Coordinates of all heavy atoms in Angstrom, one line a residue:
M1 N 79.9 259.1 249.1 CA 78.9 259.0 250.2 C 79.2 260.1 251.2 O 78.2 260.6 251.8 CB 79.1 257.6 250.9 CG 78.5 256.5 250.1 SD 76.8 256.6 249.6 CE 76.0 256.5 251.2
K2 N 80.4 260.5 251.3 CA 80.7 261.6 252.3 C 79.9 262.9 251.8 O 79.4 263.6 252.7 CB 82.2 261.9 252.3 CG 82.9 260.9 253.1 CD 84.4 261.2 253.1 CE 85.2 260.1 253.8 NZ 86.6 260.4 253.8
Q3 N 79.8 263.1 250.5 CA 79.1 264.3 250.0 C 77.6 264.2 250.4 O 77.0 265.2 250.8 CB 79.3 264.4 248.5 CG 80.7 264.8 248.1 CD 80.8 264.9 246.6 OE1 80.3 265.8 246.0 NE2 81.5 263.9 246.0
V4 N 77.1 263.0 250.2 CA 75.6 262.8 250.5 C 75.4 263.0 252.0 O 74.4 263.7 252.4 CB 75.2 261.4 250.0 CG1 73.8 261.1 250.5 CG2 75.2 261.3 248.5
F5 N 76.2 262.4 252.8 CA 76.1 262.6 254.3 C 76.1 264.0 254.7 O 75.5 264.5 255.6 CB 77.1 261.8 255.0 CG 76.9 260.3 255.0 CD1 77.9 259.4 254.9 CD2 75.6 259.7 255.0 CE1 77.8 258.1 254.8 CE2 75.4 258.4 254.9 CZ 76.5 257.5 254.8
M6 N 76.9 264.8 254.0 CA 77.1 266.3 254.3 C 75.8 267.0 254.0 O 75.4 267.9 254.8 CB 78.2 266.8 253.5 CG 78.5 268.3 253.8 SD 80.0 268.9 252.9 CE 79.4 268.8 251.2
Y7 N 75.0 266.6 253.0 CA 73.8 267.4 252.6 C 72.5 266.8 253.2 O 71.5 267.5 253.2 CB 73.7 267.4 251.1 CG 74.7 268.2 250.4 CD1 75.6 267.7 249.5 CD2 74.8 269.6 250.7 CE1 76.6 268.5 248.9 CE2 75.7 270.4 250.1 CZ 76.6 269.8 249.2 OH 77.5 270.6 248.5
R8 N 72.5 265.6 253.7 CA 71.2 265.1 254.2 C 70.7 265.8 255.4 O 71.5 266.4 256.2 CB 71.4 263.6 254.5 CG 72.2 263.3 255.7 CD 72.3 261.8 255.9 NE 73.1 261.6 257.1 CZ 73.3 260.5 257.7 NH1 72.7 259.4 257.2 NH2 74.1 260.4 258.8
T9 N 69.4 265.7 255.6 CA 68.8 266.4 256.7 C 68.8 265.5 257.9 O 69.0 264.3 257.8 CB 67.3 266.8 256.3 OG1 66.6 265.6 256.1 CG2 67.3 267.7 255.1
G10 N 68.4 266.1 259.1 CA 68.4 265.3 260.3 C 67.1 264.6 260.6 O 66.9 264.3 261.8
A11 N 66.3 264.4 259.7 CA 65.0 263.8 259.9 C 65.1 262.3 260.2 O 66.2 261.7 260.0 CB 64.1 264.0 258.7
A12 N 64.1 261.7 260.6 CA 64.1 260.2 260.9 C 64.4 259.4 259.7 O 65.1 258.4 259.7 CB 62.8 259.8 261.5
I13 N 63.9 259.9 258.6 CA 64.2 259.3 257.3 C 65.1 260.3 256.5 O 64.6 261.3 256.1 CB 63.0 258.9 256.4 CG1 62.1 258.0 257.2 CG2 63.3 258.4 255.1 CD1 60.8 257.7 256.5
P14 N 66.4 260.1 256.4 CA 67.3 261.1 255.8 C 66.8 261.5 254.4 O 66.3 260.6 253.7 CB 68.6 260.4 255.8 CG 68.5 259.3 256.8 CD 67.1 258.9 256.9
N15 N 66.9 262.7 254.1 CA 66.5 263.2 252.8 C 67.5 264.2 252.3 O 68.3 264.8 253.1 CB 65.2 264.0 253.1 CG 64.5 264.3 251.8 OD1 64.9 263.9 250.7 ND2 63.4 265.1 251.8
I16 N 67.6 264.3 251.0 CA 68.5 265.3 250.4 C 67.7 266.0 249.3 O 67.0 265.4 248.5 CB 69.8 264.5 249.8 CG1 70.8 265.5 249.3 CG2 69.4 263.5 248.8 CD1 72.1 264.9 248.9
S17 N 67.9 267.3 249.2 CA 67.2 268.1 248.2 C 67.7 267.9 246.8 O 68.9 267.5 246.6 CB 67.2 269.6 248.6 OG 68.6 270.1 248.3
D18 N 66.9 268.2 245.8 CA 67.3 268.1 244.4 C 68.5 269.0 244.2 O 69.4 268.6 243.5 CB 66.2 268.4 243.5 CG 65.1 267.3 243.5 OD1 65.4 266.2 243.9 OD2 64.0 267.6 243.1
Y19 N 68.4 270.2 244.8 CA 69.5 271.1 244.6 C 70.8 270.6 245.1 O 71.9 270.6 244.4 CB 69.2 272.5 245.3 CG 70.3 273.4 245.2 CD1 70.6 274.2 244.1 CD2 71.1 273.7 246.4 CE1 71.6 275.1 244.1 CE2 72.1 274.6 246.3 CZ 72.4 275.3 245.2 OH 73.5 276.2 245.2
D20 N 70.8 270.1 246.3 CA 72.0 269.5 246.9 C 72.5 268.3 246.2 O 73.7 268.1 246.0 CB 71.8 269.1 248.4 CG 71.7 270.4 249.3 OD1 72.2 271.4 248.9 OD2 71.0 270.3 250.3
L21 N 71.6 267.4 245.7 CA 71.9 266.3 244.9 C 72.7 266.7 243.6 O 73.6 266.1 243.2 CB 70.7 265.4 244.6 CG 71.0 264.1 243.9 CD1 71.8 263.2 244.8 CD2 69.7 263.4 243.6
G22 N 72.2 267.8 243.1 CA 72.9 268.3 241.8 C 74.2 268.8 242.1 O 75.0 269.0 241.2
R23 N 74.6 269.2 243.3 CA 75.9 269.7 243.6 C 76.9 268.6 244.0 O 78.1 268.9 244.2 CB 75.8 270.6 244.8 CG 75.0 271.9 244.5 CD 74.7 272.8 245.7 NE 76.0 273.1 246.4 CZ 76.0 273.6 247.6 NH1 74.9 273.8 248.2 NH2 77.2 273.9 248.2
I24 N 76.5 267.4 244.0 CA 77.4 266.3 244.3 C 78.3 266.0 243.1 O 77.8 265.8 242.0 CB 76.6 265.0 244.8 CG1 76.0 265.3 246.1 CG2 77.6 263.8 244.9 CD1 75.1 264.2 246.6
L25 N 79.6 265.9 243.3 CA 80.5 265.6 242.3 C 80.6 264.1 242.1 O 80.7 263.3 243.0 CB 81.9 266.2 242.6 CG 82.0 267.7 242.9 CD1 83.4 268.1 243.3 CD2 81.5 268.4 241.6
V26 N 80.6 263.7 240.8 CA 80.7 262.3 240.5 C 81.9 262.0 239.6 O 82.1 262.7 238.6 CB 79.4 261.8 239.7 CG1 79.5 260.3 239.3 CG2 78.2 262.0 240.5
Y27 N 82.8 261.1 240.0 CA 84.0 260.8 239.3 C 83.6 260.1 238.0 O 82.9 259.1 238.0 CB 84.9 259.9 240.1 CG 86.0 259.3 239.3 CD1 87.1 260.0 238.9 CD2 85.9 257.9 239.0 CE1 88.1 259.4 238.2 CE2 86.9 257.3 238.2 CZ 88.0 258.1 237.8 OH 89.0 257.5 237.1
L28 N 84.2 260.5 236.9 CA 84.0 259.9 235.6 C 85.4 259.4 235.2 O 86.3 260.2 235.1 CB 83.4 260.8 234.5 CG 82.0 261.2 234.8 CD1 81.5 262.2 233.7 CD2 81.1 260.0 234.8
P29 N 85.6 258.2 234.8 CA 86.9 257.7 234.3 C 87.2 258.3 233.0 O 86.4 258.9 232.3 CB 86.7 256.2 234.2 CG 85.3 255.9 234.5 CD 84.6 257.1 234.9
E30 N 88.5 258.2 232.6 CA 88.9 258.8 231.4 C 88.2 258.1 230.2 O 87.7 257.0 230.3 CB 90.4 258.7 231.2 CG 91.0 257.3 231.3 CD 92.5 257.3 231.4 OE1 93.1 257.9 232.2 OE2 93.1 256.6 230.5
E31 N 88.3 258.8 229.1 CA 87.5 258.3 227.9 C 87.9 256.9 227.5 O 87.0 256.1 227.1 CB 87.8 259.3 226.7 CG 87.0 259.0 225.5 CD 85.5 259.2 225.7 OE1 85.1 260.1 226.5 OE2 84.7 258.5 225.0
K32 N 89.1 256.5 227.6 CA 89.5 255.1 227.2 C 88.8 254.1 228.1 O 88.3 253.1 227.5 CB 91.0 255.0 227.4 CG 91.6 253.6 227.0 CD 93.1 253.5 227.2 CE 93.6 252.1 226.9 NZ 95.0 252.0 227.1
V33 N 88.7 254.3 229.3 CA 88.1 253.4 230.3 C 86.6 253.4 230.0 O 86.0 252.3 229.9 CB 88.3 253.8 231.7 CG1 87.5 252.9 232.7 CG2 89.8 253.7 232.0
L34 N 86.0 254.5 229.7 CA 84.5 254.6 229.4 C 84.3 253.8 228.1 O 83.3 253.1 228.0 CB 84.1 256.0 229.2 CG 84.0 256.8 230.5 CD1 83.6 258.3 230.1 CD2 82.9 256.3 231.4
Q35 N 85.2 253.9 227.1 CA 85.0 253.2 225.9 C 85.1 251.6 226.1 O 84.3 250.9 225.5 CB 86.1 253.6 224.9 CG 85.9 253.0 223.5 CD 84.6 253.5 222.8 OE1 84.1 254.6 223.1 NE2 84.0 252.7 222.0
E36 N 86.0 251.2 226.9 CA 86.1 249.8 227.3 C 84.9 249.3 227.9 O 84.4 248.2 227.6 CB 87.4 249.5 228.2 CG 88.7 249.8 227.5 CD 89.9 249.6 228.4 OE1 89.7 249.3 229.6 OE2 91.0 249.9 228.0
I37 N 84.4 250.0 228.9 CA 83.1 249.6 229.6 C 82.0 249.5 228.6 O 81.2 248.6 228.6 CB 82.8 250.6 230.7 CG1 83.9 250.5 231.8 CG2 81.4 250.4 231.2 CD1 83.8 251.6 232.8
S38 N 81.9 250.5 227.7 CA 80.8 250.6 226.7 C 80.9 249.3 225.8 O 79.9 248.7 225.5 CB 80.9 251.8 225.9 OG 80.0 251.9 224.8
E39 N 82.1 249.0 225.3 CA 82.2 247.8 224.5 C 81.8 246.5 225.2 O 81.2 245.7 224.6 CB 83.7 247.7 224.0 CG 84.1 248.8 223.0 CD 85.5 248.8 222.6 OE1 86.3 247.9 223.0 OE2 86.0 249.8 222.0
K40 N 82.2 246.4 226.4 CA 81.9 245.2 227.2 C 80.3 245.1 227.4 O 79.8 244.0 227.3 CB 82.6 245.2 228.5 CG 84.1 244.9 228.4 CD 84.8 244.9 229.7 CE 86.3 244.7 229.4 NZ 87.1 244.6 230.6
V41 N 79.7 246.2 227.7 CA 78.3 246.2 227.9 C 77.6 245.9 226.6 O 76.6 245.1 226.5 CB 77.8 247.6 228.4 CG1 76.3 247.7 228.4 CG2 78.3 247.8 229.8
R42 N 78.0 246.4 225.5 CA 77.5 246.1 224.1 C 77.6 244.7 223.8 O 76.7 244.0 223.4 CB 78.2 247.0 223.1 CG 77.5 246.8 221.7 CD 78.2 247.6 220.6 NE 78.1 249.1 220.9 CZ 79.2 249.8 221.2 NH1 80.4 249.4 221.2 NH2 79.0 251.1 221.5
Y43 N 78.8 244.1 224.1 CA 79.0 242.7 223.9 C 78.1 241.8 224.7 O 77.6 240.8 224.3 CB 80.5 242.3 224.1 CG 80.8 240.9 223.9 CD1 80.7 240.3 222.7 CD2 81.3 240.1 225.0 CE1 81.1 239.0 222.5 CE2 81.6 238.8 224.8 CZ 81.5 238.2 223.5 OH 81.8 236.9 223.3
S44 N 77.9 242.2 226.0 CA 77.0 241.4 226.9 C 75.6 241.4 226.4 O 74.9 240.4 226.4 CB 77.1 242.0 228.3 OG 76.5 243.2 228.4
F45 N 75.1 242.6 225.8 CA 73.8 242.6 225.2 C 73.7 241.7 224.0 O 72.7 241.1 223.7 CB 73.4 244.0 224.9 CG 72.8 244.8 226.0 CD1 73.6 245.8 226.6 CD2 71.6 244.5 226.6 CE1 73.1 246.5 227.7 CE2 71.1 245.2 227.7 CZ 71.9 246.2 228.2
E46 N 74.8 241.7 223.2 CA 74.8 240.8 222.0 C 74.7 239.3 222.5 O 74.0 238.5 221.9 CB 76.1 241.0 221.2 CG 76.1 242.3 220.5 CD 77.5 242.5 219.8 OE1 78.3 241.6 219.8 OE2 77.7 243.7 219.3
L47 N 75.4 238.9 223.5 CA 75.4 237.6 224.0 C 74.0 237.3 224.6 O 73.5 236.2 224.4 CB 76.4 237.4 225.2 CG 77.9 237.3 224.7 CD1 78.8 237.3 226.0 CD2 78.1 236.2 223.8
R48 N 73.4 238.2 225.2 CA 72.0 238.0 225.8 C 71.1 237.7 224.6 O 70.2 236.9 224.7 CB 71.6 239.2 226.6 CG 70.3 239.1 227.2 CD 70.0 240.3 228.0 NE 68.7 240.2 228.6 CZ 67.9 241.2 228.9 NH1 68.3 242.4 228.6 NH2 66.7 241.0 229.4
K49 N 71.2 238.5 223.5 CA 70.3 238.4 222.4 C 70.5 237.0 221.8 O 69.5 236.3 221.4 CB 70.6 239.5 221.3 CG 69.7 239.4 220.1 CD 70.1 240.5 219.1 CE 69.3 240.3 217.9 NZ 69.7 241.3 216.8
Q50 N 71.8 236.6 221.6 CA 72.1 235.2 221.1 C 71.5 234.1 221.9 O 70.9 233.2 221.4 CB 73.6 235.1 220.9 CG 74.2 235.9 219.8 CD 75.7 235.8 219.8 OE1 76.3 234.9 220.5 NE2 76.4 236.6 219.0
A51 N 71.6 234.3 223.2 CA 71.1 233.3 224.2 C 69.5 233.2 224.0 O 69.0 232.1 224.0 CB 71.4 233.6 225.6
K52 N 68.9 234.3 223.9 CA 67.4 234.3 223.7 C 67.0 233.6 222.4 O 66.1 232.9 222.4 CB 66.8 235.7 223.7 CG 66.8 236.4 225.1 CD 66.1 237.7 225.0 CE 65.9 238.3 226.3 NZ 65.2 239.6 226.3
E53 N 67.8 233.9 221.4 CA 67.5 233.2 220.1 C 67.7 231.7 220.2 O 66.9 231.0 219.6 CB 68.4 233.8 219.0 CG 68.1 235.2 218.6 CD 69.1 235.9 217.7 OE1 70.1 235.3 217.4 OE2 68.9 237.1 217.3
E54 N 68.7 231.3 220.9 CA 68.9 229.8 221.1 C 67.8 229.2 221.9 O 67.4 228.1 221.6 CB 70.3 229.6 221.8 CG 71.5 229.9 220.9 CD 71.6 229.1 219.6 OE1 71.3 227.9 219.7 OE2 71.9 229.7 218.6
V55 N 67.3 229.9 222.9 CA 66.2 229.4 223.7 C 65.0 229.2 222.8 O 64.2 228.3 222.9 CB 66.0 230.2 225.0 CG1 64.7 229.9 225.6 CG2 67.1 230.1 225.9
E56 N 64.7 230.3 222.0 CA 63.6 230.2 221.1 C 63.7 229.0 220.2 O 62.7 228.4 219.9 CB 63.5 231.5 220.3 CG 63.0 232.7 221.2 CD 61.6 232.5 221.7 OE1 60.7 232.0 221.0 OE2 61.3 232.9 222.9
K57 N 64.9 228.7 219.6 CA 65.0 227.6 218.8 C 64.7 226.3 219.5 O 64.1 225.4 218.9 CB 66.5 227.5 218.2 CG 66.8 228.6 217.3 CD 68.3 228.5 216.8 CE 68.7 229.6 216.0 NZ 70.2 229.5 215.7
I58 N 65.1 226.2 220.7 CA 64.8 225.0 221.5 C 63.3 224.9 221.8 O 62.8 223.8 221.6 CB 65.6 225.0 222.8 CG1 67.1 224.9 222.6 CG2 65.1 223.9 223.8 CD1 68.0 225.2 223.8
L59 N 62.7 226.0 222.1 CA 61.3 225.9 222.4 C 60.4 225.6 221.1 O 59.4 224.9 221.2 CB 60.8 227.3 223.0 CG 61.4 227.6 224.4 CD1 60.9 229.0 224.8 CD2 60.9 226.5 225.4
V60 N 60.9 226.0 220.0 CA 60.2 225.8 218.8 C 60.3 224.3 218.4 O 59.4 223.6 217.9 CB 60.7 226.6 217.6 CG1 60.1 226.2 216.3 CG2 60.3 228.1 217.9
A61 N 61.4 223.7 218.7 CA 61.7 222.3 218.4 C 60.8 221.4 219.2 O 60.5 220.2 218.8 CB 63.2 221.9 218.7
F62 N 60.3 221.8 220.4 CA 59.4 221.0 221.2 C 58.0 221.4 220.9 O 57.1 221.1 221.2 CB 59.8 221.1 222.7 CG 61.1 220.5 223.0 CD1 62.2 221.2 223.2 CD2 61.2 219.1 223.1 CE1 63.4 220.6 223.6 CE2 62.4 218.5 223.5 CZ 63.5 219.3 223.7

C-alpha cells in the first residue's frame, strides 16, 4: 500500500497510472508455499464440484 500511496495523484478521486502500477513490487512466496496454496485451491474446487453433484442428486429425487 505504501507503494500505491507514493504513486497516486492528488485528485479528489485518487488515481494511479498504468505505468506506475506496473512498477509496484509484489511479494511472491517461495515455490513450496505457492504449491501448497495451489493444492488447497484445487481441492476446494473438487469439493465444490462434489457438493453441486450432491445437490443435483437431491433435486432429481424430488
Side-chain angles (χ1 to χ4, degrees):
M1 286 305 292
K2 289 181 183 179
Q3 293 179 68
V4 171
F5 289 143
M6 183 174 66
Y7 289 120
R8 70 182 181 170
T9 62
I13 300 173
N15 192 9
I16 186 169
S17 71
D18 290 340
Y19 173 76
D20 289 335
L21 187 62
R23 294 175 51 199
I24 292 176
L25 302 176
V26 178
Y27 165 76
L28 293 176
E30 57 189 54
E31 186 65 30
K32 181 181 176 184
V33 174
L34 288 174
Q35 188 63 32
E36 290 174 6
I37 293 170
S38 175
E39 289 172 9
K40 289 179 181 181
V41 169
R42 185 178 300 113
Y43 180 64
S44 69
F45 278 108
E46 290 174 10
L47 289 175
R48 182 176 180 213
K49 181 181 175 186
Q50 290 175 8
K52 284 184 175 183
E53 290 171 357
E54 291 299 320
V55 168
E56 287 297 321
K57 289 178 187 176
I58 292 169
L59 293 176
V60 170
F62 288 103

